[in-house]
Amino acid sequence: MLSAPALGAMVDVPVSLVFCAAAVLVAILLVVAAVAWGALRRAAPADLPVVLLGVAHVISALCGLLPWGRPTPPPALPQQPTRETEPSAAPTVVLMRAEPAEPAVVRSTER
């Protein structure tokens, strides 16, 4: 219920400002509806939970444009199942000798 001071404050607002604010709100609602409709139309039925969560992200982000709205972080997107990692390579064995190795003798095959 509106009190008398609230009614008096509404009278002081120019009509053009009220129409402008209403036009902005309608435009935001149309953007949300268009994004949701396009995303839901193209999504596979198996992907609907992820698509709806994405639409929730869009709506939350657009709430920041409203003077009284505060965007709330929607739940995180589900993670893709992790693939099994490849087994690690066999350990490398390094032999250490006390004496230096002799250089290999290269024989020439040309005569």
Side-chain angles (χ1 to χ4, degrees):
M1 180 180 239
L2 293 175
S3 63
L7 287 174
M10 287 177 57
V11 174
D12 294 338
V13 176
V15 176
S16 62
L17 184 63
V18 172
F19 284 133
C20 184
V24 168
L25 289 176
V26 169
I28 290 173
L29 289 174
L30 287 176
V31 167
V32 169
V35 168
W37 180 74
L40 292 174
R41 188 170 154 241
R42 292 185 175 101
D47 295 334
L48 280 181
V50 176
V51 170
L52 290 174
L53 192 56
V55 170
H57 281 257
V58 170
I59 292 171
S60 174
L62 289 175
C63 283
L65 298 176
L66 300 174
W68 59 85
R70 291 185 181 168
T72 57
L77 291 171
Q79 300 295 325
Q80 296 292 336
T82 58
R83 296 181 182 166
E84 292 183 21
T85 58
E86 296 180 12
S88 61
T92 305
V93 178
V94 179
L95 298 176
M96 302 290 287
R97 293 185 173 185
E99 70 259 0
E102 295 180 19
V105 178
V106 179
R107 296 182 183 172
S108 175
T109 56
E110 294 180 16
R111 290 192 178 198

